[in-house]
C-alpha cells in the first residue's frame, strides 16, 4: 500500500480519539472516553475500577503526547497524529500496544462483570460503543475479537487488535 493511502486510512482513525470533534486530541478527549465507559457500566469514578481507568487514560494520553505532540502545545492535530504518531509506530505496533495497554486493561476490568479477567462479547461491544464506535461496527469488531468463540474477550486480544487497527493498514 502506498504511503498516501496508508496515511489517509490512519487519518480517518483520528476521529476515534477526537471525542469532542474539535479537530485535535487532548487530555480532555481521554477523560471524555473514560467518563463514557464508566457511565455505560454504571461504575463510579471514585471506585477502584474508575480510578484505574482514569490512571490508564492519563498514561495513554501521556504516551500519545510524547510521541505525537511535536509542538508541545498539549494537543495533537490530525497532521501530528498522522505524521508523528503513526509514522513512528508503523513499524512497531507493539510500542503502540504498550502505550494503550493501561487504558485497555482498565476498560476491560470495568466491563468484566464476573471478575475472570475477560469481558463478554456483548460487553466488549458496549465499551466500543461508549467510545464512539457505531453499533454495527462495535458488534462486528467485538465478535471478531473472540477468536476461540467462547463468548469472551481477553486483554491479549484487545491490545493486539487495537495496535493493529491503528498502526497496520487493513
Amino acid at each position: 500500500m502506498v504511503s498516501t493511502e496508508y496515511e489517509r486510512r490512519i487519518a480517518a482513525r483520528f476521529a476515534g480519539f477526537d471525542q469532542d470533534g474539535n479537530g485535535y486530541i487532548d487530555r480532555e478527549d481521554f477523560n471524555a472516553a473514560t467518563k463514557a465507559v464508566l457511565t455505560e457500566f454504571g461504575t463510579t469514578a471514585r471506585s477502584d475500577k474508575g480510578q484505574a481507568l482514569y490512571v490508564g487514560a492519563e498514561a495513554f494520553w501521556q504516551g500519545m503526547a510524547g510521541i505525537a505532540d511535536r509542538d508541545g502545545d498539549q494537543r495533537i492535530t490530525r497532521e501530528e497524529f498522522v505524521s508523528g504518531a503513526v509514522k513512528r509506530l508503523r513499524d512497531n505496533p507493539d510500542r503502540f500496544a504498550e502505550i494503550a495497554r493501561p487504558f485497555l486493561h482498565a476498560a476491560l476490568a470495568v466491563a468484566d462483570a464476573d471478575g475472570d479477567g475477560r469481558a463478554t462479547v456483548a460487553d466488549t461491544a458496549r465499551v466500543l460503543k461508549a467510545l464512539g464506535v457505531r453499533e454495527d461496527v462495535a458488534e462486528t469488531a467485538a465478535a471478531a475479537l473472540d477468536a476461540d468463540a467462547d463468548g469472551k474477550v481477553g486483554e491479549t486480544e484487545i491490545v493486539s487488535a487495537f495496535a493493529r487497527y491503528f498502526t497496520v493498514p487493513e
Side-chain angles (χ1 to χ4, degrees):
M1 177 179 300
V2 295
S3 182
T4 55
E5 175 63 13
Y6 177 78
E7 289 177 8
R8 185 192 63 74
R9 287 182 184 206
I10 295 300
R13 292 176 173 119
F14 174 85
F17 282 107
D18 184 13
Q19 292 281 303
D20 57 14
N22 64 0
Y24 54 85
I25 303 166
D26 63 6
R27 180 177 278 111
E28 279 308 306
D29 291 311
F30 285 83
N31 286 335
T34 299
K35 289 175 190 170
V37 171
L38 293 177
T39 299
E40 175 63 29
F41 287 91
T43 304
T44 64
R46 292 184 184 236
S47 69
D48 289 344
K49 288 182 178 183
Q51 289 297 297
L53 191 57
Y54 273 104
V55 168
E58 179 63 20
F60 195 0
W61 160 246
Q62 290 294 329
M64 286 288 292
I67 289 171
D69 183 18
R70 305 320 305 150
D71 60 9
D73 67 353
Q74 294 296 297
R75 300 185 314 182
I76 301 169
T77 64
R78 186 171 181 247
E79 182 180 326
E80 285 175 321
F81 183 77
V82 172
S83 65
V86 173
K87 286 183 180 176
R88 293 181 70 195
L89 298 172
R90 181 179 189 175
D91 296 326
N92 190 359
D94 291 336
R95 172 76 174 119
F96 193 65
E98 290 313 309
I99 291 168
R101 183 179 299 278
F103 178 76
L104 297 173
H105 175 82
L108 179 65
V110 169
D112 177 11
D114 64 8
D116 70 352
R118 302 178 317 143
T120 65
V121 170
D123 285 339
T124 302
R126 286 175 64 197
V127 170
L128 294 171
K129 288 185 279 188
L131 295 174
V133 176
R134 282 191 351 247
E135 184 170 357
D136 59 327
V137 174
E139 290 172 359
T140 300
L145 289 171
D146 182 17
D148 61 4
D150 69 350
K152 296 274 193 147
V153 178
E155 183 174 333
T156 302
E157 294 93 354
I158 291 171
V159 171
S160 63
F162 188 84
R164 281 191 316 274
Y165 178 74
F166 281 101
T167 62
V168 178
E170 296 172 342

